[in-house]
Amino acid sequence: MSEHFLQVPEWSWNHPVEDEPAYVHHWVKPLHEMEQPPDLILYGAPISRSSISVSGASLYPSEFRRMWKGFATYNLDEDIDLSTFQVGDAGDVAMHTTDILLSHQRIQKTTAYLATHYPTTRTCMIGGDHSTTACAVRGIKEVFVGEKIGVLQLDTHLDVRDPKELGPANGTPIRQLIDGNIVKGENVINIGLHGYYNAKPLINYANEHSIQMVTLKQARKLGLIETIKGALKQLSEKVDRIYVTVDMDVLDISVAPGVPASTPGGMSAIELFDSLLEIGKHPSVQHIDFVCLDPSRDSAVSETVKIGVYAWLQFITGCINQIRI
Amino acid sequence: MSEHFLQVPEWSWNHPVEDEPAYVHHWVKPLHEMEQPPDLILYGAPISRSSISVSGASLYPSEFRRMWKGFATYNLDEDIDLSTFQVGDAGDVAMHTTDILLSHQRIQKTTAYLATHYPTTRTCMIGGDHSTTACAVRGIKEVFVGEKIGVLQLDTHLDVRDPKELGPANGTPIRQLIDGNIVKGENVINIGLHGYYNAKPLINYANEHSIQMVTLKQARKLGLIETIKGALKQLSEKVDRIYVTVDMDVLDISVAPGVPASTPGGMSAIELFDSLLEIGKHPSVQHIDFVCLDPSRDSAVSETVKIGVYAWLQFITGCINQIRI
Amino acid sequence: MSEHFLQVPEWSWNHPVEDEPAYVHHWVKPLHEMEQPPDLILYGAPISRSSISVSGASLYPSEFRRMWKGFATYNLDEDIDLSTFQVGDAGDVAMHTTDILLSHQRIQKTTAYLATHYPTTRTCMIGGDHSTTACAVRGIKEVFVGEKIGVLQLDTHLDVRDPKELGPANGTPIRQLIDGNIVKGENVINIGLHGYYNAKPLINYANEHSIQMVTLKQARKLGLIETIKGALKQLSEKVDRIYVTVDMDVLDISVAPGVPASTPGGMSAIELFDSLLEIGKHPSVQHIDFVCLDPSRDSAVSETVKIGVYAWLQFITGCINQIRI
Amino acid sequence: MSEHFLQVPEWSWNHPVEDEPAYVHHWVKPLHEMEQPPDLILYGAPISRSSISVSGASLYPSEFRRMWKGFATYNLDEDIDLSTFQVGDAGDVAMHTTDILLSHQRIQKTTAYLATHYPTTRTCMIGGDHSTTACAVRGIKEVFVGEKIGVLQLDTHLDVRDPKELGPANGTPIRQLIDGNIVKGENVINIGLHGYYNAKPLINYANEHSIQMVTLKQARKLGLIETIKGALKQLSEKVDRIYVTVDMDVLDISVAPGVPASTPGGMSAIELFDSLLEIGKHPSVQHIDFVCLDPSRDSAVSETVKIGVYAWLQFITGCINQIRI
Amino acid sequence: MSEHFLQVPEWSWNHPVEDEPAYVHHWVKPLHEMEQPPDLILYGAPISRSSISVSGASLYPSEFRRMWKGFATYNLDEDIDLSTFQVGDAGDVAMHTTDILLSHQRIQKTTAYLATHYPTTRTCMIGGDHSTTACAVRGIKEVFVGEKIGVLQLDTHLDVRDPKELGPANGTPIRQLIDGNIVKGENVINIGLHGYYNAKPLINYANEHSIQMVTLKQARKLGLIETIKGALKQLSEKVDRIYVTVDMDVLDISVAPGVPASTPGGMSAIELFDSLLEIGKHPSVQHIDFVCLDPSRDSAVSETVKIGVYAWLQFITGCINQIRI
Amino acid sequence: MSEHFLQVPEWSWNHPVEDEPAYVHHWVKPLHEMEQPPDLILYGAPISRSSISVSGASLYPSEFRRMWKGFATYNLDEDIDLSTFQVGDAGDVAMHTTDILLSHQRIQKTTAYLATHYPTTRTCMIGGDHSTTACAVRGIKEVFVGEKIGVLQLDTHLDVRDPKELGPANGTPIRQLIDGNIVKGENVINIGLHGYYNAKPLINYANEHSIQMVTLKQARKLGLIETIKGALKQLSEKVDRIYVTVDMDVLDISVAPGVPASTPGGMSAIELFDSLLEIGKHPSVQHIDFVCLDPSRDSAVSETVKIGVYAWLQFITGCINQIRI
């Protein structure tokens, strides 16, 4: 019998690697320890001082990883074991404390670095506020210069406020990309818009640049999955790669206390889960991000972060289904 | 270049009027500054000491106006710009601190005053608890003496408890109106009832006075919009004007932390929004109120007040659609 | 006129019995005061120190009774007055402070005692954590030795972790019953499973023992009520009596803050209510429990406990409908 | 061995009376069951709709009784067993739902009733808001017509706002008593005033009527206990009986989340405890009340209600020490 | 009798000016409406994206003004009516959304503007995070070029982290001023330091630059007021004007939930109030700021903001006492 | 210039060891990596299912370590750099899920193991509930068989409830030790008792066994530090080694939301800090524990855990001061 019963305190990556990892934190591996390019690279962009209103979304990458311990790698609904899929965690982009432009450049450069060294691996960026999306897409464009990039945006807002007025804030990324000739407005589809959350001048900009606005009401009438499928099909016929950006404020306020900008009338968690399953299946979707979730505002049971991890696993489930085809 | 960068602190009505107001607080105007009767008059009835259980619904009118800054005047779902519709804010009815009957009389008199001076303008009262509804309807009856008034009530409760026992409390308004011969029971339709929240004797009263009780289950089976439409059609054929009273406790407890009397099994926010859009469209609906929302119990992100403002904007959207026809 | 206006403070069972009780706390009676066996016996099993993670579910029986004052005995949706149905409250099983095995034995013995003395009365146990279910089913088996017992489980988890590793913890009850030859795996149907909350080895155990796993996604596709009906029909053809266990973590995290193990993607309150109405109707359902609700984690308005009481009343409504047939 | 282990659920007064009660809820007895007049009568005045701002102080009498279960009858600091002192709980004054004047009259009449039938017993009223104090003092004056009553007030506020403006609201009781010739201003001593919480006109009223204002700063300089002693000595030399009113908003905001009107700079809990010990010792103190504590705003651990019960027990400890002398 | 009872909704500056203002919001006037230079100018610097950790201190100026309605202009402890002292509110410095340097420059320029146009008026800046202090002091230095400025800092931290590493973040203002030759280290006195909140290298920097570090323990031993007096005396003998910066994290964590960086062992509210009374009395104190209070983290009763307003009023009380001399 | 900016996510022990560690998490080292016996061994006993009322104190060891990142190793008050003192973290004792006796044995055995292998090193156990203290002291007694052990207890409660009734619950440890002849009652000194929190029979037990009860009131009168010193002196003259147990419920409820059993009238944080500084100085104090802190109940800013870490660092500061002598 053992002389003592000491065990190491529980930290994330210290656990012995298991052959058949049953939980997410045993499954995801540090990127630099992997010998082969993984199927998906995860990296964090922990900045939210670029947010128009106060935001702690910079805390999301850490909290996202902390909460994934509560998830098994087995998806019961789809009868799929995720553990055959390789996920490499590249860590977080180091942010400067007060130089927002410099921090944004680092996100762009780091994204370019990953795209250069892992050109066929899907990337998933965990924000951070929505300003990070513009950086990431520019980083990708830097590497795949000649390619057309399409953006599927799940969002309550258009995020086309004027960077000339605000600088590269979280309300501006889509406009940064369009005005910067990185993405054409006609190759942006926003699904999730609703209610009274986009002022008229922003609608005008969107119309002038042919951004496709699909309200939740329209999507629900047609069927949300059908709408997602249609959007991906349309984009994939026009562009070379699709970047999906999930602004977590697309969720209804009743399920997303951790997203200060969430509103009544938004997506249910299940609608988000179904959407991401579908998105993961499409082979043109090479990049995805999840932004604007502020864990410091989440409920006591971390409801929103749990939805965030679940949504990400749905995307991976979709990826696996696609790979099987 | 400017010598300094001072700007006035942000208050609601101090902002310069804009030609094309993009946000609600730039759009709503003080009634006394308007030269023409507006399309809708808003007024507050900040009393809740008449509530059976402790309530801070008296705080709702102020909080309602404070939160509307977060809403644009553009409705994306319906592609309607509300800013052409004129809303005049008449302010709040001054309440006495301890004389409930006097406060109730003031609500009645003020409603009558508005109905006299703006006979063709729709009115919207922001409560306060549900006792205010009896006052408002009496005020309207005072002006439109010969007219029949119908009441469409969205509510989890019948609110027909006995004023002889409780006085004019928030559980009694419908009974006050029926027993006071202001409204006939057969001209009251309640949609939203469900579950175990009305004791048998109240059901008996409702049946004896032919109040039409439509449970949420029945409404959902038929279609909530169809049910609303049918109720308005039926009422409009029997009465001269319809008063709609929205007790916010009709909402499900999971979306309405700010309504202490909300219960499991209630309306979703979207069901409420769809209902109010439909209600706004009907030309017989001349008066509406929203009652029983206690902002001091709301969640940290003011979820319930946001639903309240959204619902009110849906009603206005409906009004505009009706006016267009 | 009265000389003073003193009234006794409000306690639960001190109220004079009323002939036509309008509220639940006037209707439920202490079992030991009843002359006839009631239609349903309620008893509490207030233990949660057997829970893997920290739980205050031991507080649920008390809080359940405290909150039922807010419920009328009249079900408006089904137009049924529950007050003709007799409910006897047997009180709580006395728990030991630190001897978990002893406490578990007491639950078993008490359940056996009730089953012996009230062999034709339905029983309803209010947990406590899920470890109590194994005790209760063993107690029933003790009395109805020759009968086959089937289990309908509404749960996000399989609860088949290994008692050899954990002892009789809340993650193990179904496995305790199968390994202990109390219930056959093929006579267990779990409805409510979803997402990433059951590790692969547990799925393997379930498959090896022929537990029927019905995901929420499958149930929703077929229709939840149809699924419940089918499960009850199937079980009733194979077993002599059905034990229903409702792990409240089957509820979606957005409606169940008081269940620390609830997750995104779970049942809505209305889905739970509809399920219990259906379950109550089936004559083979002789025993039910509700477990794992921790009132100390509930929201300020006791949302989850209110759902718990409502669900229990739905079950009783079902029972009455069945009895009428 | 016992066949079952059922025990009755825990309610307050159902417990068998114990010879040597160790906890408060075993010690306090219903007044109507006592054969001898007790040493202290407790009664509740559950009204707070007379409060200027929203208040749930009407819930305090119930919560006060619910929380006293956590207190032993043994005072370790003073080495005194309270259980020899007899406390009779008279229950609560029945309040009308909307007729504030009627409710106030009932408090007055009930207090008079108790003073008539138990003329030598100390009374302790649990409010309710501060308007109840005026009612109680009037009730006492009704019975002891020829006696002079002095008031020792522990309060952050003077509570001399004008009842002609507000009616008998919680900001007015001291002025009601002075203007009504029940108590002379010179026989009112307020200890606990501080900061910026009394507008100039109220100070003027107090000065005109010779109310003695002792700021906390002054009291602390002299010594709080010395100040209390001095005030009681002075009053007892001028009046026949002393009524002590403890507005719980005298507590510092950091220890009294359950008193919405508490402020920074107020009393610490220990200062309040020491004061009440001293107050209890004085034989002229025949009546006391504790008002304005709103349990619905209290912290999750009921910090303020616990302070309220503790303070009350300190008063009783003081009474025992006095009796011994 | 009045025909209606409408009153304007309550906003801050819309109230008619009163001759003898009894409450703070009736007393403070917009600077641009004043004909004479006031005794004190208040202005807000609403920026906190320069904070190392997430902060909503940018919301403080608005919340500060919103909460001052709860304060009378009469100080009972000191028997002083503040309303004879003139306070002009200059509004807030307009901040850029993402350009932190530009925002900082605007604070500096605006402070210089105020110092130029109101050279003999005391200024009070409401932050914002602590980075604003460096801007304000530079702005003052710009105007009073030849003068020596001393800094009295009430703070748990030294705030001398290296701006070369962090940029002008909230951890760096004192070092910015010293390294920038605006203030000499020997003319900085920090009172409030304690515990384990300043790493060794920062202590080393402070020692190298002769910053005077007074721990709370030392100050309490000597007497906090004596310590403050001594510090002011010493500084006034060496410099021409004293700038006082109050980092609200000097408060103990138990009274300052709204200051994320507050710690155990900090100042009590009363210690802070006494300190500011003393500080206000000293004629060399020409400038003060209050920083790092994040209202979005405050308790439900806004405890910390109330302490903030109270502390500011104490400073003004001190100023009046000084002027009288 | 770097090609990318990736950094590893922040975990506790992965950081490179620093020569002069400035923060606690860089300073504490895993015990098994140390070549020399450290000055102090830290280990966790994460069990709280032995608590009478629901407790999450089992979560404290993890949370304690997570929060120590916010503390520097430099103590400003005492001008001491802790980093020269060696602390080895031995990890946590592995607990069984449901077998409380087995878990208790493991704590005992592990403590004995550490005492055997590091006989001259001070140990510090982080609980867990108070039942762990009995286990630890028994473990020490096992190793130092012939030595007399004295216990200094900082606690609101005596914790001498009867283990024959409750088993080895958190209310019983001192009685377990006395009845088990591990420690003599006369060698137990409890400082911190106050108010109404120990029922008479427990006082009787304490008196019968000569436990020295020092109330907070007595201690404050004499001086808390003098009291502590006197107790340590007295014990050290009678016993061979002193075990100090700090039940965090000794703290006042206003500073310890994370200790459900904390009460009004308890110690302030500063009183606790001063006590531990003194305790650390005494050479006979070889063992200490901190128990009963439930982080899941703590405030949003983790106030109580921060106090816990601070108190522990004070103890270490004391140790260093002692060693220097």
Side-chain angles (χ1 to χ4, degrees), chain D residues 255-269:
Chain D
V255 301
V259 189
S262 67
T263 64
M267 274 192 192
S268 74

PDB file of all heavy atoms in Angstrom, chain D residues 255-269:
ATOM      1  N   VAL D 255     -21.633  46.882   5.529  1.00  0.00           N
ATOM      2  CA  VAL D 255     -22.112  45.734   6.303  1.00  0.00           C
ATOM      3  C   VAL D 255     -23.620  45.552   6.181  1.00  0.00           C
ATOM      4  O   VAL D 255     -24.168  44.602   6.712  1.00  0.00           O
ATOM      5  CB  VAL D 255     -21.752  45.851   7.804  1.00  0.00           C
ATOM      6  CG1 VAL D 255     -20.252  45.955   7.967  1.00  0.00           C
ATOM      7  CG2 VAL D 255     -22.438  47.033   8.473  1.00  0.00           C
ATOM      8  N   ALA D 256     -24.281  46.448   5.455  1.00  0.00           N
ATOM      9  CA  ALA D 256     -25.739  46.393   5.404  1.00  0.00           C
ATOM     10  C   ALA D 256     -26.277  46.472   3.979  1.00  0.00           C
ATOM     11  O   ALA D 256     -27.044  47.367   3.646  1.00  0.00           O
ATOM     12  CB  ALA D 256     -26.323  47.507   6.276  1.00  0.00           C
ATOM     13  N   PRO D 257     -25.914  45.506   3.136  1.00  0.00           N
ATOM     14  CA  PRO D 257     -26.460  45.523   1.781  1.00  0.00           C
ATOM     15  C   PRO D 257     -27.983  45.433   1.779  1.00  0.00           C
ATOM     16  O   PRO D 257     -28.618  45.868   0.830  1.00  0.00           O
ATOM     17  CB  PRO D 257     -25.836  44.275   1.138  1.00  0.00           C
ATOM     18  CG  PRO D 257     -25.409  43.412   2.274  1.00  0.00           C
ATOM     19  CD  PRO D 257     -25.033  44.358   3.373  1.00  0.00           C
ATOM     20  N   GLY D 258     -28.558  44.881   2.838  1.00  0.00           N
ATOM     21  CA  GLY D 258     -30.005  44.718   2.914  1.00  0.00           C
ATOM     22  C   GLY D 258     -30.741  45.955   3.388  1.00  0.00           C
ATOM     23  O   GLY D 258     -31.944  45.883   3.638  1.00  0.00           O
ATOM     24  N   VAL D 259     -30.049  47.073   3.522  1.00  0.00           N
ATOM     25  CA  VAL D 259     -30.725  48.325   3.859  1.00  0.00           C
ATOM     26  C   VAL D 259     -30.395  49.328   2.757  1.00  0.00           C
ATOM     27  O   VAL D 259     -29.326  49.946   2.773  1.00  0.00           O
ATOM     28  CB  VAL D 259     -30.268  48.876   5.230  1.00  0.00           C
ATOM     29  CG1 VAL D 259     -31.153  50.056   5.636  1.00  0.00           C
ATOM     30  CG2 VAL D 259     -30.302  47.797   6.297  1.00  0.00           C
ATOM     31  N   PRO D 260     -31.314  49.477   1.813  1.00  0.00           N
ATOM     32  CA  PRO D 260     -31.004  50.312   0.647  1.00  0.00           C
ATOM     33  C   PRO D 260     -30.592  51.732   1.018  1.00  0.00           C
ATOM     34  O   PRO D 260     -29.852  52.369   0.291  1.00  0.00           O
ATOM     35  CB  PRO D 260     -32.325  50.311  -0.134  1.00  0.00           C
ATOM     36  CG  PRO D 260     -33.024  49.076   0.297  1.00  0.00           C
ATOM     37  CD  PRO D 260     -32.628  48.838   1.723  1.00  0.00           C
ATOM     38  N   ALA D 261     -31.037  52.233   2.175  1.00  0.00           N
ATOM     39  CA  ALA D 261     -30.699  53.609   2.542  1.00  0.00           C
ATOM     40  C   ALA D 261     -29.436  53.706   3.384  1.00  0.00           C
ATOM     41  O   ALA D 261     -29.073  54.779   3.846  1.00  0.00           O
ATOM     42  CB  ALA D 261     -31.869  54.242   3.292  1.00  0.00           C
ATOM     43  N   SER D 262     -28.747  52.586   3.605  1.00  0.00           N
ATOM     44  CA  SER D 262     -27.499  52.678   4.368  1.00  0.00           C
ATOM     45  C   SER D 262     -26.462  53.432   3.543  1.00  0.00           C
ATOM     46  O   SER D 262     -26.533  53.453   2.320  1.00  0.00           O
ATOM     47  CB  SER D 262     -26.991  51.283   4.734  1.00  0.00           C
ATOM     48  OG  SER D 262     -26.607  50.579   3.573  1.00  0.00           O
ATOM     49  N   THR D 263     -25.496  54.019   4.202  1.00  0.00           N
ATOM     50  CA  THR D 263     -24.545  54.911   3.536  1.00  0.00           C
ATOM     51  C   THR D 263     -23.122  54.634   4.014  1.00  0.00           C
ATOM     52  O   THR D 263     -22.923  54.015   5.061  1.00  0.00           O
ATOM     53  CB  THR D 263     -24.867  56.378   3.881  1.00  0.00           C
ATOM     54  OG1 THR D 263     -24.676  56.558   5.288  1.00  0.00           O
ATOM     55  CG2 THR D 263     -26.287  56.742   3.511  1.00  0.00           C
ATOM     56  N   PRO D 264     -22.144  55.128   3.278  1.00  0.00           N
ATOM     57  CA  PRO D 264     -20.775  55.068   3.785  1.00  0.00           C
ATOM     58  C   PRO D 264     -20.654  55.943   5.030  1.00  0.00           C
ATOM     59  O   PRO D 264     -21.316  56.977   5.138  1.00  0.00           O
ATOM     60  CB  PRO D 264     -19.935  55.661   2.652  1.00  0.00           C
ATOM     61  CG  PRO D 264     -20.797  55.624   1.442  1.00  0.00           C
ATOM     62  CD  PRO D 264     -22.203  55.735   1.928  1.00  0.00           C
ATOM     63  N   GLY D 265     -19.818  55.533   5.928  1.00  0.00           N
ATOM     64  CA  GLY D 265     -19.588  56.326   7.128  1.00  0.00           C
ATOM     65  C   GLY D 265     -20.484  55.974   8.301  1.00  0.00           C
ATOM     66  O   GLY D 265     -20.411  56.592   9.356  1.00  0.00           O
ATOM     67  N   GLY D 266     -21.323  54.937   8.127  1.00  0.00           N
ATOM     68  CA  GLY D 266     -22.259  54.564   9.185  1.00  0.00           C
ATOM     69  C   GLY D 266     -21.630  53.678  10.245  1.00  0.00           C
ATOM     70  O   GLY D 266     -20.421  53.431  10.272  1.00  0.00           O
ATOM     71  N   MET D 267     -22.494  53.188  11.155  1.00  0.00           N
ATOM     72  CA  MET D 267     -22.025  52.344  12.256  1.00  0.00           C
ATOM     73  C   MET D 267     -21.509  50.998  11.763  1.00  0.00           C
ATOM     74  O   MET D 267     -22.048  50.422  10.825  1.00  0.00           O
ATOM     75  CB  MET D 267     -23.200  52.030  13.201  1.00  0.00           C
ATOM     76  CG  MET D 267     -23.441  53.074  14.255  1.00  0.00           C
ATOM     77  SD  MET D 267     -24.599  52.410  15.500  1.00  0.00           S
ATOM     78  CE  MET D 267     -24.971  53.929  16.388  1.00  0.00           C
ATOM     79  N   SER D 268     -20.518  50.489  12.450  1.00  0.00           N
ATOM     80  CA  SER D 268     -20.124  49.108  12.225  1.00  0.00           C
ATOM     81  C   SER D 268     -21.094  48.210  12.974  1.00  0.00           C
ATOM     82  O   SER D 268     -21.833  48.655  13.856  1.00  0.00           O
ATOM     83  CB  SER D 268     -18.704  48.885  12.740  1.00  0.00           C
ATOM     84  OG  SER D 268     -18.720  48.858  14.159  1.00  0.00           O
ATOM     85  N   ALA D 269     -21.082  46.929  12.622  1.00  0.00           N
ATOM     86  CA  ALA D 269     -21.962  45.984  13.315  1.00  0.00           C
ATOM     87  C   ALA D 269     -21.627  45.955  14.806  1.00  0.00           C
ATOM     88  O   ALA D 269     -22.526  45.938  15.662  1.00  0.00           O
ATOM     89  CB  ALA D 269     -21.813  44.597  12.700  1.00  0.00           C
TER      90      ALA D 269
END
